[in-house]
Amino acid sequence: MIHIPVLKSQTLQIFSLLSEGTLIDCTLGFGGHTQALLQAHPQLQIIGIDQDEVAREYCKTHLPQERVQILEGNFSEQISNALKIAKSPIVGVLADIGVSSLQLDDLSRGFGFSSPTLDMRMDRSNPLDASKVVNHYPKLELEKIFREYGEIRESKKMAELIVNAREKKSFQSAFELSSLLEKHFKKNKIHPATLAFQAIRIEVNNELGVLESLLSSLYQAKLTNTIIAIISFHSLEDRIIKNTFREWEKSCICPAEVMRCECGNNHSRGKILTKKPLIATPEEIKANPRSRSAKLRAFEFGNDNAK
């Protein structure tokens, strides 16, 4: 099984000054980032979180268990547990948000355009899958998902097209859905179904909600001397991360209409380490085309955030 971790060198760069302590890999996947970090930092311990059973079982046999502890579940649910069970100070938190390449390539998971299923669940115990969204969501709800999660201009047309089609025959596969969209929408730089599949996947996995929950948990944990690095793959996630890091860095939190600072101007929780996101090099994109949309942003919680 070959797994290429996205932005591996950039991730190692962000965490280059680590020595000992515990790093939480919120999206362990098939262990690519964790393996690289373990090799780079011989004294580092890692707590890995993943909701995918296949990924967890793979890591149990391919990662050194004396240095890696694996938790089952979504990172938004398990991050608080990981923070509690760490046996040494938390020096880093890494999250690679999105679907792994191996999930995308596994046709049985229903993520790809040619998949014979319509699933898209990262956690296969999740009661909501793509089939339920596509075949049972009301037209207005589908339109909202396409507009907000896919930023699709023709969201109304797309929702109506799907509803009209499913009245004749429900969608059984991702291939049926992608073929329908390909027939009725222009093909520019990307496949016409790309943003629709993104929107449905976000809805099924509550991707924006779990990201916001993770960020909230990290803020409330009052971490010190801890580097937070998050890799995202589309503008909605990147916007949330960027804006959150900006809020964390603010020293003055007074309302904009206040003429003079009244808050004490000492509320900064740390500093942004990436003024611009780190992105893949041309060489990485050539080797792994899916890395072209990846962006890494990092923030470091400082010493005085135990307020």
Side-chain angles (χ1 to χ4, degrees):
M1 185 178 292
I2 300 174
H3 173 57
I4 306 174
V6 70
L7 303 183
K8 182 176 76 171
S9 62
Q10 294 86 340
T11 300
L12 291 175
Q13 173 190 335
I14 287 296
F15 291 116
S16 62
L17 297 181
L18 298 186
S19 54
E20 55 186 16
T22 298
L23 181 141
I24 301 174
D25 186 344
C26 295
T27 47
L28 180 62
F30 290 86
H33 288 115
T34 282
Q35 186 68 63
L37 288 163
L38 289 171
Q39 292 175 353
H41 306 287
Q43 303 302 315
L44 191 66
Q45 296 289 316
I46 291 184
I47 298 174
I49 304 171
D50 209 282
Q51 59 190 341
D52 190 297
E53 181 181 1
V54 176
R56 292 196 307 274
E57 291 303 315
Y58 178 86
C59 287
K60 286 177 182 178
T61 59
H62 288 79
L63 295 176
Q65 297 305 296
E66 68 276 9
R67 295 180 62 193
V68 179
Q69 184 172 357
I70 300 174
L71 301 181
E72 173 185 350
N74 189 282
F75 56 77
S76 68
E77 302 164 350
Q78 285 287 6
I79 185 65
S80 58
N81 187 28
L83 291 168
K84 290 177 184 176
I85 66 174
K87 297 177 182 178
S88 55
I90 304 294
V91 293
V93 178
L94 170 66
D96 178 359
I97 309 296
V99 188
S100 76
S101 295
L102 291 171
Q103 288 174 331
L104 288 170
D105 293 336
D106 183 349
L107 292 181
S108 70
R109 302 300 294 268
F111 289 104
F113 300 143
S114 60
S115 174
T117 65
L118 189 55
D119 195 320
M120 302 192 193
R121 291 175 297 174
M122 296 181 191
D123 177 359
R124 286 192 275 199
S125 68
N126 181 2
L128 179 64
D129 62 15
S131 179
K132 291 180 181 178
V133 173
V134 173
N135 289 311
H136 299 289
Y137 270 31
K139 181 170 67 174
L140 288 179
E141 190 65 21
L142 280 176
E143 181 185 339
K144 179 182 178 183
I145 290 170
F146 292 142
R147 182 179 64 252
E148 295 184 1
Y149 295 162
E151 299 181 299
I152 298 170
R153 292 182 180 179
E154 296 180 282
S155 57
K156 185 174 182 179
K157 174 186 174 182
M158 184 172 288
E160 187 170 355
L161 177 68
I162 290 173
V163 170
N164 290 340
R166 77 188 189 192
E167 288 178 353
K168 300 175 183 177
K169 180 181 179 295
S170 61
F171 291 91
Q172 300 299 314
S173 69
F175 176 72
E176 291 175 355
L177 179 59
S178 64
S179 297
L180 176 72
L181 298 179
E182 190 172 19
K183 289 178 183 177
H184 291 85
F185 292 90
K186 294 179 180 180
K187 188 172 184 178
N188 296 317
K189 293 182 179 180
I190 60 174
H191 191 285
T194 300
L195 295 179
F197 272 49
Q198 171 187 298
I200 295 167
R201 195 195 73 223
I202 290 174
E203 173 68 13
V204 168
N205 298 287
N206 187 27
E207 292 179 31
L208 301 186
V210 296
L211 171 59
E212 290 173 338
S213 177
L214 171 66
L215 292 167
S216 176
S217 294
L218 293 174
Y219 183 83
Q220 294 173 19
K222 301 187 183 300
L223 298 167
T224 60
N225 298 318
T226 306
I227 295 174
I228 312 299
I230 304 181
I231 300 170
S232 63
F233 289 85
H234 56 75
S235 60
L236 296 174
E237 291 172 338
D238 182 59
R239 196 176 304 140
I240 291 172
I241 298 162
K242 177 178 67 175
N243 292 338
T244 298
F245 285 177
R246 284 178 176 175
E247 289 299 314
W248 289 356
E249 191 179 51
K250 281 184 180 179
S251 182
C252 175
I253 57 173
C254 291
E257 62 271 14
V258 174
M259 298 294 291
R260 181 180 298 175
C261 177
E262 299 175 354
C263 70
N265 198 26
N266 63 346
H267 293 274
S268 175
R269 296 291 298 271
K271 61 181 179 180
I272 295 173
L273 300 180
T274 50
K275 296 304 179 183
K276 291 184 178 180
L278 303 183
I279 59 175
T281 63
E283 292 76 19
E284 180 177 2
I285 294 173
K286 185 177 180 180
N288 180 15
R290 287 174 181 156
S291 67
R292 66 184 180 275
S293 57
K295 293 182 179 180
L296 186 157
R297 293 185 185 272
F299 183 92
E300 183 176 16
F301 284 115
N303 286 313
D304 58 347
N305 50 25
K307 298 184 179 79

